[in-house]
Structures are given as structure tokens and as C-alpha cells.
Amino acid sequence: MSEHNWWKNAVIYQIYPRSFSDSNKDGIGDLQGIISKLDYLENLGVGALWLSPVCRSPQDDNGYDISDYQDIDPMFGTLGDMENLIEEAKKRHIRIILDLVLNHSSDEHYWFQEAKKSRENPYHDFYVWRDGVEGTPPNQMRAAFGGSAWEWVPQVQQYYFHQFSVKQPDLNWENDRVRREIYDMIRWWVKKGIGGFRLDVIDQIAKEPDQGITVNGPKLHEFLRELSRETFQEGELVTVGETWGATTELAKCYSNPDHSELSMVFQFEHICLDQMEGKEKWDLAPLPFLKLKEVLSRWQRELYGKGWNSLFWDNHDLPRIVSRWGNDGAYRVESAKMLAILLHGMQGTPYIYQGEELGMTNIRYEIEDYRDIETLNMYRERLEKGYGKEEVMASIYAKSRDNARTPMQWNDGENAGFTEGKPWMKVNPNYKEINAESQVKDEDSVFSCYRKLIRLRKEYPVFVDGCFELLLEKDENVFAYTRTNQDSQLLVICNFYDQTLEYPLEQPDSSMRLLIGNYKDADQTRMLRPYEARMYFVEKKK
Ligand code: TEU
Ligand code: CA
């Protein structure tokens, strides 16, 4: 693997800093907290850490509203701590990936503070302004977190555009001064030794609000290629774009092996399957399993040789996968491992979201204990619209972003070892049963399964280059596939549900070596037990 493509056989770990580890007892995770856990992460074997935003921010959207791109928020530490983290991580062969929020800034950023002073201000044009139509906003566009996408500023007698909260005004990418400022800032971080970037809602930067366009605007790829040319193409940086609007066709542009845009993108087609069609994520629907297989295999097939996938179940915006598509009751451990094996056998770069490697689960709190702006706005809006409280809470239990944001469960001590202060959000009460300390020393834990998967990926080239083929396409319970290269093959077979099944393929023979599974005696049984997953390796005869 050339150093330029190091991320093809690495696994990336996402940290949500405010919930990871608190070093100074204020109840909020911080950079020193992360440094104190680097040995744990090295032991797990990950090659890079993607940190959700740690730059200076009023925290209206937990840091996705940046007021200074070149400083660390005091809540998380200092620039010195960041340099320290980069250095300490490097000693353990771990790179640090920064979360860049380039679609919008905070309204408390200097640029916006200036921009709203007058139409003549040199920064006015850094944002997207429009006149009103007879005292009302220019159009009906809505913001992702509720309400109009337009906000009136009396001082300049204009509305500004915001796709997210009012405190997240959209940057105007049409303005080349904006783009130049951004490139300078990125180069500054690269000089500091940053290993790569995750680009927040990057497919929304080329908006055309007059046409009602937010995602995939006409100038998107032009902007991306310029951004890449000016910043990313030097060295060994990894870049991953967050693109809710990606199709496989678009993903081939984004992740073109010629490096003209990005290394890869996060696509969300599989993640949106358990909601009512054409509705919001809160409108729950059962997971259509055959469709899940179809979607994931289409992405595998179409990007083969032409692009690069990222593989994920979880992130800071999504519920916990074991509660969502696994079983967080009797089969928590088995189903968490099954989902891990299923995902990690595919082609692409796997991402692990903090706590996923422990099989951490969703929460059911009283509404007062939720913190997320999206959840709280939705709760208010839906009650106003006449939804019943129970129905709204059911949506929150299933989909709230706070499911992923509860403090990391380190041990069975107070506050799960996350803080010695009062945690900013309640700890999941199951931490005595589910925590890192007990799993690290247990060979049969979910943690050990992830650890092993990461090692296998480094050991067997077929994980990186094998061609994907879906088996048993119409099977309603089993997800099975092969990955094949010149001299070997992987066979992955997973029972996705809690029924015991007859083993649906030819019985494994002595040419097949079990690399990993989630039951101890997998080789001896002709059945697939609840959530059973096996991964076999077959050497081709020469
Ligand atoms: O999320 C993008 C985004 O579109 C979210 O609104 C997403 O639809 C929602 O979280 C699903 O529940 C990114 C970040 O990942 C998210 O944390 C930020 O709030 C958002 O951008 C704004 O920066
Ligand atoms: Ca702290």
C-alpha cells in the first residue's frame, strides 16, 4: 500500500470530544482526555481519529458552528493541547483528522459580525443575503433544524440564508475571498501536522437559494476541485466528505482515484432505509432487509476500481446500530459483533464511532435530559402540530442524535469513568454492564471482535482489493457475500435476525479457514444461530 493510500487498509475512529473523556472535572470531554486514552486506541488498532469539531464555537450545535477556525475552544483545551495530541498520536502511528465545517460559520465569527454591520462592509458578501418580498422572506425554504431558512437583520434590511440553525449562517462560496480565506486556514492546519479532514455537509456549499437548490448545486464539483488543488493534494492527507445527497455516480466523482476531489465520501442511502418514504427520519418504518442488501451491494459494485467507499453504521448524528438493527437485549453481544463483521468485510474504509466497539446502546430519557438542538426543536414543533407525546418520544428513542452522544463508558465506577464532575449529559445507566475496562481484558467481548477485524484487514490484502459479490440475494434473513482477488477469497455469512436457520450455503470444508465468528464452535454446526456471523478465508489453488 503506497503511503498516499494508507487509508485504504486503515480503520478510522470517530471521537465526539465532549463525550469522550473529561480531564478537568468540568463534566465535558476535552483534548487532554483524548490524550489519556491514546493507549486504548492504539490497542484497538485504529490508524486515525476523526474529531468532531473542537474549534472555538458558541456551541449552539455542539461545535458545528465555528467562530474561529484557527483556535481551539477553551472548553476542549488550547492549541498547545492540540499540538500535543498530534504528537502523542503520531508516536502511536495514529493520525488526527479535523472536522471542517465550511458550509457555514457561527454568527459569532468575526466575518459575520462584520457582515451584518452594513451592506458596504467588506465582509458583507461573505454570506448569502437577499432582500425580502413585501416584508416576508424571499422564499419558503426551511432550515434543517426547523423554521425558515431566512433570518432578517434590521441593520442591513436584508435576510441571510441559513440551512441549519439561525446561529449557523451559510458562507457564500461564490465569493473568491471566502474561498481563499478557507484555503489559507486549511494550509495552516496541514502545517501543524493534521492528517486529514472530514468535510461537514460539503455537498451543500454550492447552494443556489433563488432556485431552491441546497444540495448538489451546479458549481459543486468546480469548487471541490479547486479546494482540493489548493490544499489537499500535497502529502498523505485523507479527506472524507459528508454527502447526504450522494448517488454512486456522484461518489465516483468525489472519490475519483486521480485525487481530483476527495479520498471518499460518507453516503447515507442505507442509513435512510428505516423511515417512511419521502418523510423525515422521525417517521419510523421497519428496515426493509432485502433493500439494505441491494443498496450496500450496489455501492460495493459500482465503486469497485472507480472510487472508494467509506463503511459505517454509526456517527454522532445517528442512533446506536446495535439498538437500531441489532438486538440490544438478549443478543446484544452477538448482534453487535455480527454487524461489525458484516461491515468490516466490505470494500472501503471502515469507521468506528466511539462506543460502537463496546456495543453501546440507545437511551430512553425524560425530555429534560436531552441536549440536542435538532431533537428539542422537533419535539416542540411536533407537539405544536398536534402529535401525541408518546409518538414523539418513540421517534426520539429511535432516532435522536443524543443516542450517540451519551458519555463514553470507560469503567463501572462513578459516571462510567467519563468525568469526576457532573457530566454534561446523563450517562447511559447500563455502564456497569457495558464498559471498556471489562471488555479490553475479555477475549470474547465486542471490543476484541473489532480489534481482531482491524488486524485482519491489515493482514489480508483481499480486504482491500477483493471484488464483491452478493450471495443469496433473495434470502430474507441472511446477508452473505464474497470478496475475491487473484489468489484468495473471503466468505462472509451473517444471520441478521434472532431465529436459528439451516446453514444456507454449501457446508464449509477443510479448504476454508474461519477467520472470525461470533460463536465459539462455529465450525462444528450446520446451523446459523441467532445473529451468527462467520468470516472464512479460502486460498485459491495454484
Ligand atoms: O450533519 C448534516 C445534516 O444534514 C444533519 O442535519 C443531519 O441531517 C441530521 O443530523 C440527521 O439527524 C452535519 C453534522 O454531522 C451535524 O452534526 C451538524 O449538526 C450539521 O452538519 C450542521 O453542521
Ligand atoms: Ca473538561
Side-chain angles (χ1 to χ4, degrees), residues 150-385:
W150 298 99
E151 183 72 9
W152 178 249
V153 178
Q155 182 89 11
V156 291
Q157 294 285 302
Q158 277 181 320
Y159 290 89
Y160 69 84
F161 183 62
H162 62 92
Q163 300 191 58
F164 295 91
S165 92
V166 222
K167 288 183 64 65
Q168 294 167 299
D170 270 59
L171 284 161
N172 175 18
W173 274 71
E174 292 287 339
N175 181 344
D176 57 357
R177 278 188 57 215
V178 170
R179 303 202 304 278
R180 281 205 306 271
E181 291 270 4
I182 288 175
Y183 306 152
D184 285 346
M185 174 272 287
I186 294 175
R187 286 191 283 255
W188 181 86
W189 276 114
V190 172
K191 270 207 203 110
K192 290 218 171 293
I194 283 295
F197 302 94
R198 179 261 188 187
L199 301 145
D200 190 61
V201 291
I202 197 67
D203 60 354
Q204 296 179 214
I205 58 174
K207 52 250 158 186
E208 300 274 354
D210 304 317
Q211 269 89 256
I213 297 174
T214 52
V215 192
N216 295 328
K219 291 176 89 171
L220 176 60
H221 294 273
E222 181 187 322
F223 289 152
L224 273 175
R225 282 192 282 264
E226 183 184 271
L227 167 67
S228 176
R229 218 171 33 240
E230 296 282 337
T231 59
F232 302 144
Q233 285 172 11
E234 242 171 81
E236 302 163 11
L237 297 171
V238 63
T239 50
V240 50
E242 187 204 22
T243 55
W244 285 77
T247 57
T248 50
E249 278 317 302
L250 290 171
K252 283 186 251 175
C253 304
Y254 290 124
S255 65
N256 193 317
D258 71 4
H259 297 295
S260 53
E261 296 192 9
L262 304 168
S263 315
M264 62 190 124
V265 290
F266 293 122
Q267 64 85 14
F268 295 85
E269 202 179 335
H270 61 299
I271 278 306
C272 295
L273 289 175
D274 58 358
Q275 70 191 48
M276 285 156 73
E277 222 181 299
K279 295 279 194 71
E280 296 180 68
K281 72 175 193 183
W282 308 111
D283 303 303
L284 311 177
L287 173 71
F289 180 58
L290 293 184
K291 183 80 185 161
L292 175 71
K293 295 207 279 188
E294 186 271 314
V295 169
L296 287 175
S297 25
R298 175 157 40 79
W299 278 84
Q300 288 288 299
R301 220 171 38 237
E302 294 195 9
L303 264 58
Y304 183 69
K306 301 195 176 114
W308 191 253
N309 283 300
S310 44
L311 307 169
F312 71 99
W313 293 128
D314 278 352
N315 68 32
H316 65 292
D317 293 333
L318 303 174
R320 296 283 181 179
I321 197 61
V322 69
S323 300
R324 188 181 193 178
W325 294 345
N327 176 325
D328 63 7
Y331 295 109
R332 187 184 64 82
V333 172
E334 289 81 359
S335 65
K337 291 179 184 173
M338 180 275 287
L339 289 159
I341 293 169
L342 175 55
L343 193 74
H344 283 238
M346 292 189 201
Q347 186 175 50
T349 300
Y351 287 75
I352 300 173
Y353 177 71
Q354 65 181 50
E356 180 186 335
E357 79 279 18
L358 307 175
M360 274 177 64
T361 66
N362 281 354
I363 42 158
R364 288 170 176 239
Y365 290 168
E366 298 296 324
I367 191 68
E368 295 73 40
D369 290 323
Y370 286 86
R371 296 284 173 269
D372 170 33
I373 181 173
E374 183 190 53
T375 304
L376 298 173
N377 286 355
M378 180 287 277
Y379 178 79
R380 219 182 29 220
E381 272 191 11
R382 289 210 162 181
L383 287 188
E384 275 164 21
K385 282 189 194 147

Side-chain angles (χ1 to χ4, degrees), residues 21-30 75:
S21 177
D22 175 26
S23 73
N24 64 349
K25 307 184 188 182
D26 66 353
I28 304 171
D30 45 56
M75 186 172 106

